[in-house]
Amino acid sequence: MTEAEWQVVRASLPVPAWLEGRGGRPEGYCHRVMLDAVRYVVDNGVKWANLPKDFPPYRRVHAFARRWQATGLLAELHDRLRDRVRVKEGRSPDPTAAIVDSQSVRAAANVPCSTSGWDGGKKVGGRKRHLAVDCLGLVLVVLVTAASVQDRDAAVPLLERLRKLYFSIRLVWADGGYAGRLVDWAAGKLGLTVEIVKRSDTSGFVVLPRRWVVERTLSWLMRSRRLVRDYETLPAMHEAMVLWSMTMLMAAVWPDAAGTLSSHVSRPHRPEGAEHVRPELCRPPPGRQPLHPRTHSLHPRRSRLPPQLHRDLLRPQPTRGFRPGEHRQDLLVLRREHLHPDAPDMMRHDRARHRGPHRPVRPR
């Protein structure tokens, strides 16, 4: 995350008990490093074991994410960021209306059959995530069930959780899948008015009032590769991944006071005949430092290799009869030769001691 995003997240982070003198074991890693590691997994969709070596060990990172999900620290961080974004947009922190909808995603092979199913309408086998968002599209409640669960059946625990967390909500918009006895049950049991937004009779694509907000939120979640397919064994971890994705979005929106939520997450408009450029890289928002065009960071990566060696490393190496992987060692020698004068001798000594003498490939 950038320095501006970290200042936003840092102000909303829950304070550990050991920092306030209330006991507990001090943590061994910085919160910023751990948050960057979890965000890397959510954004790129890699396995926990495939985290780059620049981050802490993946078992520590996974335990950190699991602990924050189980203790409610992630939900607290998400709610604080959402309240700040709502205040920035000129709204009250307590929402009074919500929009609900669901989205079916395919499940990976590690997802157990007990928590997955088949969605006959969408022809998707996996899980279904149910969202309740506010009028800005920010997530209020998320619930993950099997794809075979109907929307009106999953809406019962979803609305119960919504009523328990937000007493100020009085109106809920939904599509035709939530019509029926759910409307009467929500009015009599929870005191919520469920208004069904029906599809128009016109052919073609039509933007439906209020329903487009939650559809836009579902498209925001698909930007995180971890959420394109369900890889989580537990449904609770999938719900946590949704919250992590939204924290990334809200932390990126908040530092720029000149923009709004829609201007950051929507695709920029390009007039007809204009050249296709990336305005977020060419023209930085006012009040922020220009981003580096290659690393997309406020602190460009400083390499200790000269540009000529960079080009040599990126150039394809010919096969000179070496064993598989031998050219990789040559590149490592090239890199270490620049960093340490005695690196080639050290590498030759290690190769002769551990891997034996060089043997050329026998021609066939």
Side-chain angles (χ1 to χ4, degrees):
M1 68 179 73
T2 62
E3 187 65 29
E5 293 178 5
W6 168 242
Q7 296 300 327
V8 175
V9 175
R10 183 180 182 181
S12 303
L13 282 178
V15 181
W18 63 274
L19 282 179
E20 295 182 343
R22 293 186 282 109
R25 181 179 178 180
E27 299 181 1
Y29 296 96
C30 175
H31 276 175
R32 181 172 182 177
V33 179
M34 302 298 284
L35 291 176
D36 281 338
V38 177
R39 288 159 59 104
Y40 185 89
V41 173
V42 177
D43 189 26
N44 297 276
V46 300
K47 298 180 181 179
W48 291 102
N50 291 347
L51 274 174
K53 63 179 181 180
D54 303 314
F55 296 114
Y58 76 95
R59 296 184 185 275
R60 299 290 184 89
V61 178
H62 181 268
F64 173 85
R66 187 73 177 91
R67 182 172 65 253
W68 273 48
Q69 179 270 326
T71 56
L73 295 178
L74 173 59
E76 181 68 21
L77 172 63
H78 174 269
D79 293 346
R80 291 180 180 181
L81 289 176
R82 187 194 60 240
D83 294 344
R84 297 183 66 176
V85 173
R86 286 185 58 87
V87 172
K88 173 192 171 183
E89 296 291 336
R91 297 177 179 268
S92 172
D94 299 325
T96 58
I99 309 100
V100 296
D101 202 355
S102 63
Q103 183 183 35
S104 299
V105 292
R106 300 184 185 276
N110 63 307
V111 176
C113 298
S114 58
T115 58
S116 61
W118 176 260
D119 187 356
K122 301 293 181 62
K123 307 299 181 182
V124 174
R127 286 176 177 167
K128 184 183 295 185
R129 46 178 174 244
H130 308 265
L131 297 181
V133 302
D134 60 0
C135 295
L136 296 177
L138 305 179
V139 174
L140 300 176
V141 176
V142 56
L143 177 66
V144 177
T145 62
S148 56
V149 178
Q150 298 294 328
D151 291 348
R152 62 174 60 92
D153 297 333
V156 174
L158 182 71
L159 294 181
E160 287 180 348
R161 189 182 303 183
L162 183 66
R163 168 54 68 197
K164 181 179 179 181
L165 297 177
Y166 308 96
F167 296 96
S168 58
I169 291 183
R170 294 291 182 267
L171 179 61
V172 176
W173 288 288
D175 57 8
Y178 298 89
R181 57 185 179 182
L182 177 67
V183 178
D184 300 333
W185 176 85
K189 187 71 175 180
L190 304 178
L192 294 175
T193 302
V194 179
E195 181 178 340
I196 305 300
V197 181
K198 298 182 178 180
R199 189 183 302 272
S200 60
D201 298 334
T202 59
S203 60
F205 176 76
V206 178
V207 178
L208 300 178
R210 299 299 180 179
R211 282 178 52 181
W212 67 270
V213 177
V214 65
E215 297 291 349
R216 184 184 59 176
T217 304
L218 295 176
S219 66
W220 291 346
L221 298 179
M222 297 301 287
R223 294 187 174 189
S224 302
R225 292 191 175 184
R226 189 76 179 192
L227 299 177
V228 174
R229 183 183 291 264
D230 191 359
Y231 298 98
E232 313 304 328
T233 305
L234 300 177
M237 283 301 297
H238 187 100
E239 299 174 1
M241 291 298 172
V242 173
L243 298 183
W244 281 115
S245 179
M246 292 302 298
T247 55
M248 295 169 56
L249 173 66
M250 292 184 293
V253 169
W254 172 259
D256 186 11
T260 58
L261 184 68
S262 301
S263 62
H264 282 77
V265 297
S266 60
R267 180 172 298 179
H269 173 68
R270 179 165 58 99
E272 296 182 1
E275 184 182 358
H276 180 70
V277 294
R278 298 189 64 181
E280 64 273 11
L281 297 182
C282 301
R283 296 184 298 273
R288 296 181 64 179
Q289 303 180 17
L291 301 182
H292 195 269
R294 294 187 61 183
T295 60
H296 298 185
S297 173
L298 293 176
H299 304 282
R301 186 176 303 170
R302 299 176 181 176
S303 177
R304 292 176 289 183
L305 294 177
Q308 180 63 30
L309 291 184
H310 266 297
R311 289 191 292 267
D312 294 339
L313 291 177
L314 297 178
R315 184 180 306 165
Q317 300 294 326
T319 57
R320 296 164 292 182
F322 288 175
R323 294 176 298 176
E326 193 71 11
H327 64 281
R328 234 174 4 183
Q329 299 176 2
D330 293 345
L331 296 181
L332 187 60
V333 171
L334 178 63
R335 181 183 294 271
R336 294 191 177 186
E337 185 178 5
H338 179 75
L339 303 180
H340 198 280
D342 302 331
D345 299 334
M346 297 166 54
M347 292 295 297
R348 294 194 193 99
H349 175 70
D350 294 342
R351 189 183 306 172
R353 183 176 59 178
H354 297 288
R355 300 198 176 188
H358 165 65
R359 297 179 183 178
V361 178
R362 181 177 302 176
R364 296 182 180 178

